[in-house]
Amino acid sequence: MTEPQLSPYLTEFEDIPGTYVFNTFRSRQGFHLNQFCMSLMKADNRAAFKADNAAYLAAWDLTDAQRDAVLARDWTGMMREGGNIYFLSKLFSTDGHSFQHVAAIMTGATQAQYAQMMLAGGRDPQGCRSKADPSL
Amino acid sequence: MARIVAGVTTSHVPAIGAMIDQGRQQEPYWAPIFGGFEFSKRWMAELKPDVAIVIYNDHASAFDASIFPTFALGCADRYLPADEGWGRRPVPTVMGHADLACHIAQHMILDEFDLTVVNRMDVDHGLTVPLNLLFGDLKADQAWPCQVIPLPINVIQYPPPTGKRCYAMGQALRRAVESWPGNERVVVFGTGGMSHQLQGTRAGFINTPWDTRFLDNLTLDPLALTRITHAEYVREAGSEGIELVMWLAMRGALDERVREVYRFYHVPCSNTALGHIILEND
C-alpha cells in the first residue's frame, strides 16, 4: 500500500507537530490492527489474549511491524502503523491502563510528570501549533 | 407538535464514568468536576424532558473499523452500555423512542439529510457519561428519567463532517422533531470536547482562550463557529478537540437567539479541558 499524494485538505494537517490524523489511508493501513483491538471488547477474548499474547495475535492478519508494536506495547509504533487511539484503548484497557497512562508514554514523560503538566493547565499551545515552532 | 426546549453541551470524558462506577466522586481531584454539574442536575430535574436526543461520537464501540457512518440515528427500543474493554458500565439500559426516531430518520432523509439508520447498537461513554452528568449517578437496576435517541457522528476518521454541515444537521433535526404530532418536550445534547489531544508527542494540549471564545460564540456568533476548519480544530483545540463540531449540531437545533443559562469550564479532567453549557431559546 503506497501512501497517496496528499490532497490540499490533508496537507494542512502535516504542519501540526506530534499529531496523527487518522485519515482514510491510515484507516486502511491499520484495519486489521484496529479490528484485533476491537476483539478485546469481549471478556473471553481478553482472557485468551492475556493468557498468550503471541498465540492470540497469530490469528490476526497483522504486518510484522504491527505485531511487534503490539507485543512491545509500543503505542507510538501502533499509531504509526495505522492504529487509532480509540481502538488502541481496548488494548490498554485490557492491560488495566488509562488514557492518561498511554498519553504520558507517547509524550516521553512519566505519568506523574504528565499528570502534573495537566494539573498546571495542560500543554501550552505556544510553541506547538506548527512544525515551524521550536518546542516539540 | 414535539418541541425542542433546551440544548446542553458537555465533555464526555470516560474517566468520569469510571469514577462514578467506583464511587470516587468526592475525591479532591474529582469533587470540583462533579460539583460543576450540581446546578445542571437541578435544572434538568425541573425541565423534565420526555426525550433526550444525544449527539455524540461512537469511540470504536458500536462501529468497528469496517464502517464509519458520518451521521447515524438510533431507531431501536433500547441500547445497552458498551463493553469498552473493562465490562459494561453498571448504568441503566438506555430506553429509546423508536417511533419518534423512525419519524426523524424519514423526515430528515426526505429533507435531503441522509442519515444511517441503526436498529441495534451498544452505546459507549460518549453517551452514558453525559446522561450521568445531567441525570445523576443511576445504577443498572434504575431507569433514566427520559427516553433517549442516540445520534452518533463520525469524528474519528478524517474527514468528519464540517462544523457547518453539523449545524445544518441540527436545523434539519429540529424540523423533523417539530413535524412529529406528539407533544414530547425534547432536550438536545451535543457532547465531546473541549480542547484535548490524546495521542502523539503533543498529547495533553489545552487551549483555554480558544475554548472560551468557542463557549462565548455559541451564544454570540454561532455562524462564526461554523467557519472553523478541521485544520484549525486540530491546531487550536487538539486532535480530539474536533469533537466540538458535535456542539454545533446541537446549536443548529435551537433558535438563532439563545440565552446562556449556565456554563462550567474546568482544566484538567484527565487529559481534557472539560466544558459544559446550557442554552435555552431566548
Side-chain angles (χ1 to χ4, degrees):
Chain A
M1 207 184 301
T2 50
E3 189 136 12
Q5 195 79 26
L6 285 182
S7 62
Y9 171 79
L10 291 177
T11 302
E12 255 199 287
F13 298 106
E14 291 299 298
D15 176 52
I16 301 170
T19 303
Y20 293 90
V21 171
F22 187 68
N23 56 38
T24 52
F25 170 77
R26 291 211 171 105
S27 187
R28 280 195 297 139
Q29 178 196 24
F31 178 77
H32 294 288
L33 171 61
N34 289 322
Q35 292 298 74
F36 145 71
C37 291
M38 287 300 286
S39 75
L40 299 177
M41 290 174 71
K42 293 198 168 75
D44 290 352
N45 292 344
R46 287 196 287 273
F49 175 67
K50 280 181 173 177
D52 188 338
N53 278 206
Y56 188 89
L57 286 173
W60 291 89
D61 189 14
L62 304 186
T63 64
D64 290 345
Q66 289 171 336
R67 183 172 293 107
D68 292 347
V70 172
L71 289 171
R73 299 299 191 273
D74 171 3
W75 304 104
T76 303
M78 288 182 252
M79 297 290 296
R80 202 184 305 119
E81 298 300 322
N84 171 276
I85 192 66
Y86 294 119
F87 288 86
L88 301 183
S89 73
K90 280 56 175 174
L91 176 57
F92 63 70
S93 297
T94 297
D95 288 341
H97 295 310
S98 65
F99 271 99
Q100 192 162 86
H101 172 91
V102 170
I105 290 172
M106 285 193 283
T107 64
T110 65
Q111 195 172 349
Q113 289 167 334
Y114 181 89
Q116 192 51 48
M117 175 185 79
M118 294 313 299
L119 282 171
R123 184 180 303 286
D124 190 340
Q126 202 64 39
C128 63
R129 285 189 170 90
S130 160
K131 283 182 179 167
D133 294 338
S135 84
L136 271 182
Chain B
M1 73 176 193
R3 278 187 307 126
I4 292 172
V5 292
V8 174
T9 66
T10 178
S11 306
H12 55 216
V13 180
I16 293 175
M19 292 307 109
I20 292 170
D21 300 343
Q22 296 166 27
R24 292 169 58 185
Q25 298 95 317
Q26 295 311 317
E27 290 184 7
Y29 182 97
W30 293 100
I33 292 168
F34 287 100
F37 288 85
E38 284 307 313
F39 169 87
S40 314
K41 277 186 263 197
R42 288 196 303 274
W43 171 85
M44 186 62 92
E46 278 176 32
L47 185 72
K48 288 192 185 64
D50 301 299
V51 181
I53 298 176
V54 180
I55 298 164
Y56 73 111
N57 66 291
D58 180 73
H59 302 79
S61 303
F63 308 127
D64 66 19
S66 309
I67 184 165
F68 292 88
T70 300
F71 295 105
L73 190 73
C75 293
D77 288 319
R78 59 181 59 80
Y79 309 89
L80 291 177
D83 182 339
E84 299 178 57
W86 58 88
R88 295 184 190 276
R89 288 198 62 214
V91 294
T93 297
V94 173
M95 303 307 290
H97 189 327
D99 290 340
L100 175 55
C102 291
H103 165 81
I104 290 171
Q106 175 184 300
H107 193 279
M108 287 181 71
I109 291 168
L110 296 178
D111 198 14
E112 301 179 341
F113 227 103
D114 310 314
L115 298 165
T116 298
V117 170
V118 184
N119 287 322
R120 182 167 66 185
M121 66 176 168
D122 289 347
V123 289
D124 69 16
H125 68 269
L127 183 133
T128 58
V129 164
L131 292 187
N132 277 136
L133 289 172
L134 274 296
F135 295 117
D137 304 347
L138 299 167
K139 302 302 167 206
D141 59 352
Q142 296 176 289
W144 298 113
C146 69
Q147 292 169 299
V148 174
I149 298 177
L151 198 164
I153 296 182
N154 164 51
V155 292
I156 293 180
Q157 182 181 270
Y158 280 73
T162 62
K164 185 179 168 198
R165 185 67 174 155
C166 289
Y167 188 85
M169 194 220 68
Q171 293 174 313
L173 175 65
R174 178 182 184 161
R175 290 193 292 272
V177 168
E178 292 184 346
S179 67
W180 172 248
N183 291 317
E184 286 88 342
R185 297 166 65 256
V186 178
V187 61
V188 178
F189 283 57
T191 75
M194 297 191 82
S195 58
H196 66 305
Q197 176 151 340
L198 301 173
Q199 45 106 355
T201 52
R202 199 172 177 252
F205 183 94
I206 299 285
N207 192 345
T208 297
W210 193 92
D211 287 341
T212 305
R213 262 199 314 283
F214 196 97
L215 286 163
D216 292 345
N217 276 338
L218 278 176
T219 306
L220 298 175
D221 193 357
L223 292 181
L225 298 178
T226 67
R227 291 189 288 270
I228 298 171
T229 63
H230 291 158
E232 181 181 342
Y233 279 109
V234 177
R235 195 186 297 278
E236 297 295 335
S239 51
E240 279 62 49
I242 188 68
E243 291 173 346
L244 286 165
V245 295
M246 298 185 291
W247 290 32
L248 298 181
M250 176 286 292
R251 185 63 187 83
L254 300 179
D255 285 353
E256 240 169 81
R257 282 174 55 96
V258 294
R259 190 161 50 85
E260 182 178 318
V261 175
Y262 182 69
R263 175 193 297 206
F264 177 60
Y265 184 81
H266 181 89
V267 177
C269 179
S270 191
N271 302 287
T272 305
L274 183 149
H276 164 49
I277 206 162
I278 297 175
L279 303 176
E280 289 178 359
N281 289 329
D282 200 11

